[in-house]
Amino acid sequence: MRPLLFEKYEGLGNDFVVVEGTSSMLSTDDVMRICDRHRGIGADGVLFTGVSAGRPFMSVINADGSTAEMCGNGLRCVALHLVRRGLVDGRTFDVDTDAGPHAVRVLEVAAPGRVEVSMRAPSLAPRDVPARFDAPLIDGELRADGVVLHGTAVSMGNPHLVTFDAPDAARLRLGPMLQDDRRFPEKVNVGFATMKGRGAMQLHVYERGSGWTQACGTGACAAAVAAVETGRASRGAPIEVVLPGGPLEIVVGEAGERVRMTGPARHVFSGRLTLPL
Ligand SMILES: N[C@H](CCC[C@H](N)C(=O)O)C(=O)O
């Protein structure tokens, strides 16, 4: 039996258990039980954070125990946590993630919990997503379960497939199906977007390893990038991405530049549990 101190956070209803330490602290079973909304705390994932050798870090484990390279809503929650706990100086700092050498940059942690971050630059290269296509998938035709739709594959450090033309009636069926599509060897987060003019969209995301969530930060970034790459939105202009849990403001920079995401993060409660649950 071992105690575990944790903090519960949420960003637009995408909720996380935040633990100071590394992901080696918990087994896959621990994470799954912690995230279980009936037998545990309940969360879309567990975030591990702290400062190592003077560098803030974040690691992400999904509710099903799978590892994710990046988490946008989680990053805002971790940024708020690091500031609340006095583990970083000031309001602007870099955070190392498992998405490779380019740290993401927290630009501002403003009260009450409005956080602006500079996400790493997106990539549409199939090898980066990763995806089994010969060329970048930009409004490329896909067939799934007898439905013909068009999708754009984007890496935000984690893999995303965004479609603007999936029939609403098919969305609930297509989300889980496309998440496991064999063309995405590490599975994929699936975003179903509907443009509302050039500066706004509605978005529902079926997340890899967590299912339908109230919000997906990297999904909002990927959908904004896909909208720009397919001519549905403009670079440099704010795009309001409205998710079931609320809106995020995304600004897509020039090609190869970072994507800015602004939205809320909220500390819900502190807790202590005894493992194994
Ligand atoms: N399920 C995602 C990680 C969490 C992403 C999402 N919660 C966000 O805010 O970006 C994946 O496996 O890539």
Side-chain angles (χ1 to χ4, degrees):
M1 308 289 273
R2 61 192 198 283
L4 179 75
L5 298 178
F6 68 88
E7 305 284 341
K8 187 76 192 301
Y9 286 85
E10 60 89 8
L12 295 182
N14 191 200
D15 61 336
F16 306 98
V17 168
V18 174
V19 172
E20 287 184 19
T22 63
S23 55
S24 60
M25 290 169 63
L26 298 179
S27 69
T28 299
D29 285 343
D30 287 335
V31 170
M32 293 171 73
R33 289 306 290 261
I34 285 169
C35 293
D36 187 308
R37 296 192 185 282
H38 301 287
R39 296 174 177 79
I41 300 167
D44 289 325
V46 177
L47 306 175
F48 298 87
T49 188
V51 178
S52 171
R55 295 179 64 88
F57 66 87
M58 174 184 76
S59 293
V60 183
I61 306 290
N62 291 316
D64 71 350
S66 61
T67 298
E69 305 84 349
M70 182 61 75
C71 179
N73 290 323
L75 181 63
R76 297 197 316 276
C77 292
V78 159
L80 178 60
H81 178 77
L82 293 169
V83 169
R84 283 183 66 247
R85 292 269 290 118
L87 296 175
V88 291
D89 299 326
R91 295 281 188 261
T92 298
F93 49 92
D94 286 355
V95 178
D96 291 331
T97 69
D98 295 331
H102 309 287
V104 286
R105 180 157 300 153
V106 175
L107 297 174
E108 183 181 28
V109 179
R114 181 183 180 277
V115 183
E116 180 180 358
V117 296
S118 175
M119 304 294 285
R120 50 166 287 172
S123 173
L124 281 75
R127 71 178 176 284
D128 291 339
V129 175
R132 294 192 175 103
F133 299 106
D134 296 333
L137 188 74
I138 302 176
D139 255 354
E141 185 175 293
L142 293 169
R143 292 172 183 272
D145 199 30
V147 175
V148 177
L149 51 87
H150 296 82
T152 300
V154 182
S155 171
M156 285 305 302
N158 58 346
H160 290 270
L161 173 65
V162 181
T163 178
F164 293 95
D165 64 359
D168 274 350
R171 186 174 73 217
L172 293 179
R173 190 172 79 246
L174 289 177
M177 186 177 293
L178 288 170
Q179 180 215 211
D180 287 325
D181 191 294
R182 60 175 181 72
R183 290 168 285 194
F184 296 91
E186 295 179 14
K187 300 188 178 185
V188 69
N189 299 283
V190 189
F192 297 86
T194 306
M195 295 305 295
K196 302 290 184 185
R198 291 185 64 82
M201 71 170 77
Q202 282 184 333
L203 180 67
H204 293 82
V205 182
Y206 188 86
E207 286 198 34
R208 177 182 65 170
S210 300
W212 296 108
T213 57
Q214 285 291 296
C216 180
T218 51
C221 294
V225 169
V228 165
E229 292 290 342
T230 58
R232 292 179 172 92
S234 304
R235 288 185 189 285
I239 300 170
E240 184 184 53
V241 180
V242 181
L243 298 126
L248 288 174
E249 180 185 287
I250 309 295
V251 179
V252 179
E254 294 306 319
E257 285 188 356
R258 292 166 170 262
V259 176
R260 284 215 323 267
M261 170 181 62
T262 304
R266 184 171 74 96
H267 176 252
V268 187
F269 62 86
S270 303
R272 180 183 187 277
L273 61 85
T274 302
L275 292 171
L277 275 180

